[in-house]
Amino acid sequence: MVLSSLKFDKNNIMKYLSTFICLIITSLAIAQNNPLIKEAPLNPIVLKYKLEHFNLVGNIETVTLNNSFQLQFNEDGLLVKVYNNVYDADKKLTKEYKYPNKTTILETKYEGENGVINSKYTLNNDQNIIHYEVLNTKDIPEYYILDPITYEYKDQLLVKASSDKSKHNYNYKSETTTYKYDNKKRLIQSSLFYDNKEHIDFRNTYDYSKFNEGKILILRDNGYYEINQEYNSKGTLTYETVKENGYRANPKSKVYRNPKYDEYGNLSTFSDGEYRYTFFKK
């Protein structure tokens, strides 16, 4: 599955129309500035926590892939739990999310046998995540990198992610990733900087010159990886070839060959698997 742009559903619009009509109109105008998933399938997003972020529609409660993992949503379409090993009677809870208010997302990750990471995402009034920080941990190895991250946006598109590294024994004090877009608001370049100096080996570029055929050319790690991808009209990745330093390599993405969709347009079956859905009662 791939990422999608943020948007309000009809129920939320009607709920707040009477008292926040100006705010709603403004928010809708902002949301419409973002390209649809099928128009820009590689645009970055900090955290996938809405149905739209997974290219899903409908009153979905759970999504299960091949019994390997499961996503559980609340009735507002927000992600609340992630499970692994769903085929097992003792399926493993790996992540939990809570939404105490409109500008806060609380995340709990369960790592290994007893490890726990409690984190907080802060959103601005446009519902973009602008900050991430770890609140506390339990039984987490020291090598885990848990530094705060600050995010910046322009025209509702993520353009910078910055993290202070000064507490570590590194030869740099800050780490920043920047994102550039074309005039259709599609990601065309991401770059990594240490202390404001680009580490060119980690530059990625994205070529949409054949996107009318669903094709995108990705040059990753300054061209060390050449990745050719093909998407269908729904924004589903259906084909990928990879060259590593000029030699053919295994695909790096989940590819959905011969996809079929349910009545809502959600991906249901493909060559080597299926997504199963449960829905809230209307």
Side-chain angles (χ1 to χ4, degrees), residues 92-93 108-118 136-141 144:
K92 181 176 176 58
L93 177 64
T108 299
K109 287 185 179 181
Y110 301 95
E111 301 282 347
E113 292 296 324
N114 300 302
V116 179
I117 303 173
N118 289 308
N136 55 71
T137 66
K138 174 187 175 185
D139 295 335
I140 294 299
Y144 273 55

Side-chain angles (χ1 to χ4, degrees), residues 7-265:
K7 56 186 177 182
F8 287 89
D9 60 39
K10 184 177 180 181
N11 291 334
N12 283 339
I13 293 176
M14 296 305 295
K15 180 179 180 180
Y16 296 106
L17 184 61
S18 60
T19 54
F20 295 100
I21 186 167
C22 292
L23 175 61
I24 291 298
I25 292 174
T26 301
S27 298
L28 283 171
I30 291 172
Q32 290 169 356
N33 286 332
N34 291 319
L36 299 173
I37 185 172
K38 62 184 180 181
E39 298 170 351
L42 297 176
N43 280 15
I45 192 168
V46 175
L47 174 69
K48 296 201 294 185
Y49 68 95
K50 290 188 175 185
L51 287 170
E52 296 95 321
H53 299 159
F54 298 91
N55 202 19
L56 297 173
V57 294
N59 201 24
I60 293 172
E61 181 176 8
T62 66
V63 183
T64 306
L65 171 61
N66 289 349
N67 288 331
S68 60
F69 78 85
Q70 183 180 85
L71 309 178
Q72 181 178 329
F73 297 86
N74 64 19
E75 292 189 83
D76 294 321
L78 303 178
L79 182 64
V80 291
K81 292 182 180 180
V82 180
Y83 293 94
N84 279 347
N85 302 326
V86 183
Y87 58 84
D88 194 326
D90 297 320
K91 64 182 182 181
K92 181 176 176 58
L93 177 64
T94 60
K95 297 178 184 178
E96 284 188 279
Y97 295 92
K98 296 180 180 180
Y99 306 88
N101 54 58
K102 293 184 179 297
T103 59
T104 304
I105 301 173
L106 299 177
E107 176 187 69
T108 299
K109 287 185 179 181
Y110 301 95
E111 301 282 347
E113 292 296 324
N114 300 302
V116 179
I117 303 173
N118 289 308
S119 306
K120 175 183 176 182
Y121 294 89
T122 301
L123 293 76
N124 61 15
N125 290 333
D126 294 329
Q127 293 298 287
N128 293 317
I129 293 174
I130 57 174
H131 189 70
Y132 165 82
E133 63 179 314
V134 172
L135 302 177
N136 55 71
T137 66
K138 174 187 175 185
D139 295 335
I140 294 299
E142 292 184 2
Y143 60 79
Y144 273 55
I145 304 301
L146 303 172
D147 300 314
I149 306 173
T150 299
Y151 302 95
E152 298 179 22
Y153 297 81
K154 181 178 181 180
D155 297 330
Q156 293 294 96
L157 297 171
L158 178 66
V159 294
K160 182 184 290 188
S162 304
S163 184
D164 184 357
K165 302 296 182 181
S166 58
K167 70 178 183 180
H168 302 290
N169 189 26
Y170 298 159
N171 59 2
Y172 56 92
K173 301 299 182 183
S174 66
E175 180 178 302
T176 301
T177 302
T178 62
Y179 304 92
K180 295 181 180 179
Y181 303 84
D182 64 12
N183 58 9
K184 294 184 178 180
K185 298 184 182 295
R186 302 177 299 197
L187 179 68
I188 57 172
Q189 181 176 307
S190 62
S191 302
L192 178 66
F193 293 81
Y194 295 135
D195 291 337
N196 299 317
K197 182 178 180 180
E198 183 180 3
H199 195 315
I200 192 68
D201 289 344
F202 291 101
R203 177 185 289 184
N204 302 324
T205 59
Y206 307 83
D207 182 352
Y208 301 87
S209 58
K210 294 185 178 180
F211 195 58
N212 63 326
E213 303 172 22
K215 299 178 180 179
I216 301 175
L217 171 62
I218 305 168
L219 296 180
R220 181 172 156 185
D221 295 348
N222 201 30
Y224 184 80
Y225 292 98
E226 178 182 312
I227 304 171
N228 284 276
Q229 294 185 337
E230 293 184 18
Y231 292 83
N232 65 14
S233 60
K234 293 182 179 292
T236 302
L237 178 62
T238 59
Y239 183 77
E240 179 179 272
T241 61
V242 178
K243 287 185 179 180
E244 181 179 352
N245 200 24
Y247 296 94
R248 188 175 180 88
N250 293 327
K252 293 184 169 295
S253 308
K254 179 65 179 177
V255 177
Y256 301 93
R257 292 183 175 84
N258 302 312
K260 295 182 179 180
Y261 301 86
D262 67 12
E263 61 184 301
Y264 302 99

